[in-house]
Amino acid sequence: MGGSFGYAAEAALVPDKQRRKWRPTLGMIVFVVLATVMALPLVGLFFFRLYENQLIRQTESELIAQTAVLAAVFAHEVETTPAARAQLRPQPSLSEPVRTETGDFHPIEPVLDLAGNGILGRRPDASDAATQADPAFVEIGAKLQAIATQAQAVTLAGFRILDPDGTVIGGREELGRSLAHVEEVALALRGQYGSALRIRVSHSPPPPLYSMSRGTSVRVFVAMPVIVDQAVAGVVYASRTPNNIFKHLYGERQKVILAALSIVMVTVLIGFVFSRTIARPIHALIAQTRVIGNGGQNEIRPLGQHGTREVAMLSQSFLDMAARLSERSDYIRTFAAHVSHELKSPLTSIQGAAELLKDSVASQASMSDGQRRHFLDNIIDDTRHLTLLLERLRELARADNPQRSGSTALASVLATLRQAFPTLDVAVDGDQGLASAMSLENAVITFSHLFDNAASHNAKQMRIGIENRHGQLVIDLADDGDGISDANRARIFDQFFTTRRETGGTGMGLGIVQSMLRSHGGSITLQPSSRGTKFRITIPLVAVPG
């Protein structure tokens, strides 16, 4: 009792906040899942910068290819123009082309990164040139400008052709002015490829949606050096604004709208499936538990819709538990009524005899020794009956909740029974070494009641048949006693039903046997018999020797 009180006190000290821990409802989880599904396309827009960065790399790669072609034409023109070639100033520091098995290659990979590279300010304006461009280079620039103008109509890139000093010799604007002070151009005049991300200058504001994209506010600049005889013969300077992701999406707006509608439809479908298969059955099961908890035993029936296998299993488990609890409640109610009745008769008899003895003493009335002995015998007999009844009640309680550990070979059980019932001639047919899933003590209690009933009904012999049927131990017990009448065969397992109450029978023996076997996964049935009584016991088999 002290342990129970300590546990109760410890439980009382647990804060209500811990006992009622917050847990999300199924509806909340479903909502979060649906919201996540809906938000995935929107969240994807936050990662469009990766795509924008790819567009910038793609733009730089295209400009590299275009300027490389113009640089090759520029170099060819310089090599075939002696006056221009004579103006070159060799730079031994320029690196040699990379030699490979298939020839000379010096590939240039795009290096600009919208996230990593700093975006420079707008491109500086051209300045006055220190010297005028050589006429030979001016002529070459005019030729290249014609080519660049035709290419610009297709590629949308702007081109500037610069001489070895950085002066513009080809371009629609800034002819004769210098761009040598621009960072990427200065790098190219030293013989190295240069590129930069610069703020884009636009004469008209972009649409509001474009303001979300950094790619719409920058412009890619590429400066490709023209190398002839280890000298910088000039620079091809090109620029272009990257493609815009929103412009691309607008061009594919029908597909985007169709995809969005598909996502909405799939989300609605998921919500319907969740509600139909999980939320609705669980809410119905919760409502059913409340009704049954308030005494509505008629509601112990399957749900109209289970939805999923797990919900169906949960519902069936709950219904099985509710049915067992209902049966248990009915059993306890009936059992209490029977116990009250069985205890009332001997207690009333004891009270009556005691009152008569008390009255005889108080009134000093004469009572013969025979009468006094009769009353005392009645008190003793009723007391013995009560003692036996209480012993049977303890055995029944133990049978309902036995210790189900251990196993016992039938040989050990039969040896104990032969000693306890020497008046019965026990004959066994079958393997006595078979072991049942029942401890020796519980097995002795079970079979003792059957042997006692047989001996009480004038049996002299007990025939036992043992058989192994598919992992089940089947035991037939047949005696040669008085037998059971047809009228009583259906009631022999009822609690407190007995045909020998006047000789001290309690009517609980077979009920104890049935409860004990049921607790161990077994059963007992009354079998047809032409003489005496025959029972069949079935119990799980633990081991078969050899």
Side-chain angles (χ1 to χ4, degrees):
M1 181 174 179
S4 300
F5 176 78
Y7 175 80
E10 182 179 357
L13 294 176
V14 178
D16 293 341
K17 186 176 181 181
Q18 294 184 10
R19 292 204 298 267
R20 294 180 293 181
K21 182 180 179 180
W22 181 88
R23 292 179 177 86
T25 63
L26 184 61
M28 293 175 61
I29 295 177
V30 173
F31 175 77
V32 171
V33 171
L34 296 180
T36 302
V37 173
M38 289 288 292
L40 281 178
L42 301 177
V43 173
L45 293 178
F46 288 97
F47 294 94
F48 76 99
R49 296 186 187 278
L50 298 176
Y51 182 67
E52 283 187 321
N53 193 67
Q54 184 61 30
L55 292 178
I56 289 177
R57 291 286 183 91
Q58 178 183 349
T59 302
E60 183 185 5
S61 180
E62 292 173 356
L63 289 177
I64 289 173
Q66 295 164 15
T67 55
V69 171
L70 284 177
V73 176
F74 195 163
H76 177 73
E77 291 293 335
V78 172
E79 290 173 351
T80 57
T81 305
R85 194 168 188 175
Q87 301 295 325
L88 299 180
R89 298 181 295 276
Q91 302 178 23
S93 60
L94 294 179
S95 60
E96 293 291 334
V98 178
R99 168 77 55 186
T100 66
E101 295 180 357
T102 56
D104 296 335
F105 295 95
H106 44 95
I108 300 175
E109 298 293 337
V111 295
L112 295 179
D113 191 329
L114 187 61
N117 293 93
I119 300 178
L120 304 179
R122 61 182 297 273
R123 198 210 74 184
D125 295 334
S127 61
D128 295 334
T131 58
Q132 291 185 351
D134 187 272
F137 280 98
V138 173
E139 183 178 353
I140 293 174
K143 294 179 181 179
L144 294 178
Q145 176 59 35
I147 299 174
T149 301
Q150 295 180 5
Q152 185 178 10
V154 177
T155 64
L156 303 179
F159 295 94
R160 298 288 187 272
I161 311 300
L162 311 180
D163 69 359
D165 296 323
T167 302
V168 179
I169 57 175
R172 293 185 178 181
E173 300 175 354
E174 302 178 320
L175 285 173
R177 298 177 65 82
S178 175
L179 293 176
H181 58 285
V182 179
E183 294 181 10
E184 57 270 23
V185 174
L187 191 62
L189 291 175
R190 295 194 296 270
Q192 301 179 20
Y193 164 77
S195 62
L197 280 175
R198 293 186 175 276
I199 295 177
R200 174 174 174 261
V201 178
S202 177
H203 299 290
S204 58
L209 188 61
Y210 283 14
S211 62
M212 296 177 60
S213 170
R214 294 179 67 191
T216 60
S217 60
V218 299
R219 190 173 179 87
V220 179
F221 288 83
V222 167
M224 181 68 67
V226 181
I227 308 299
V228 177
D229 296 336
Q230 287 191 322
V232 177
V235 175
V236 179
Y237 190 38
S239 65
R240 202 189 78 185
T241 302
N243 290 328
N244 184 269
I245 184 173
F246 293 106
K247 185 176 181 180
H248 174 75
L249 293 177
Y250 181 77
E252 301 291 337
R253 57 187 178 278
Q254 294 182 348
K255 297 180 180 179
V256 172
I257 293 175
L258 181 61
L261 292 177
S262 300
I263 292 174
V264 172
M265 292 178 62
V266 170
T267 304
V268 172
L269 179 61
I270 293 175
F272 175 77
V273 171
F274 264 88
S275 175
R276 184 79 174 175
T277 60
I278 298 179
R280 187 182 300 178
I282 289 181
H283 284 298
L285 184 59
I286 292 173
Q288 189 180 41
T289 60
R290 290 176 178 172
V291 174
I292 295 176
N294 292 328
Q297 303 302 321
N298 295 330
E299 292 297 323
I300 303 179
R301 60 175 184 268
L303 297 176
Q305 178 185 356
H306 293 105
T308 64
R309 180 182 303 175
E310 292 77 9
V311 174
M313 294 174 62
L314 176 62
S315 174
Q316 188 60 46
S317 298
F318 165 74
L319 292 178
D320 293 342
M321 180 189 67
R324 287 194 296 269
L325 291 176
S326 178
E327 293 175 0
R328 192 70 174 174
S329 177
D330 293 339
Y331 170 78
I332 293 174
R333 189 184 304 110
T334 304
F335 183 79
H338 283 304
V339 169
S340 299
H341 175 74
E342 291 295 324
L343 293 178
K344 184 177 181 180
S345 296
L347 287 176
T348 301
S349 177
I350 292 173
Q351 182 180 5
E355 288 177 351
L356 289 175
L357 291 174
K358 179 181 178 181
D359 291 341
S360 66
V361 173
S363 61
Q364 296 183 353
S366 61
M367 178 179 289
S368 66
D369 292 340
Q371 291 176 329
R372 188 177 294 107
R373 186 177 297 107
H374 173 72
F375 289 132
L376 292 175
D377 289 340
N378 287 342
I379 292 175
I380 293 173
D381 290 341
D382 288 334
T383 303
R384 289 174 179 173
H385 181 72
L386 286 176
T387 302
L388 180 61
L389 182 62
L390 292 176
E391 181 64 26
R392 292 292 183 266
L393 289 175
R394 283 195 294 268
E395 291 182 1
L396 180 61
R398 181 174 181 177
D400 286 337
N401 298 281
Q403 296 292 332
R404 288 186 286 270
S405 60
S407 61
T408 306
L410 290 180
S412 301
V413 179
L414 294 176
T416 303
L417 293 174
R418 283 190 175 99
Q419 295 179 0
F421 299 92
T423 59
L424 287 177
D425 179 19
V426 181
V428 182
D429 180 17
D431 187 0
Q432 300 183 43
L434 296 177
S436 65
M438 184 182 292
S439 67
L440 176 60
E441 187 177 3
N442 290 338
V444 169
I445 291 175
T446 301
F447 287 94
S448 293
H449 285 288
L450 297 176
F451 274 54
D452 181 67
N453 281 346
S456 300
H457 288 83
N458 303 316
K460 300 300 181 182
Q461 294 182 340
M462 177 70 77
R463 298 290 178 263
I464 300 177
I466 304 172
E467 186 179 354
N468 176 9
R469 294 184 184 177
H470 309 292
Q472 293 288 322
L473 184 59
V474 179
I475 305 172
D476 290 331
L477 299 96
D479 62 55
D480 60 347
D482 298 335
I484 301 174
S485 65
D486 294 339
N488 293 332
R489 293 179 69 88
R491 302 182 59 191
I492 60 171
F493 292 107
D494 293 346
Q495 297 287 356
F496 303 103
F497 173 77
T498 179
T499 58
R500 55 185 186 92
R501 191 177 303 277
E502 65 281 355
T503 60
T506 62
M508 299 181 64
L510 290 179
I512 293 173
V513 172
Q514 187 180 53
S515 295
M516 183 71 76
L517 290 172
R518 186 181 298 166
S519 299
H520 287 82
S523 62
I524 181 172
T525 55
L526 178 64
Q527 301 293 308
S529 178
S530 59
R531 181 185 178 186
T533 305
K534 182 179 181 180
F535 289 100
R536 172 166 293 176
I537 291 177
T538 302
I539 192 169
L541 184 66
V542 171
V544 179

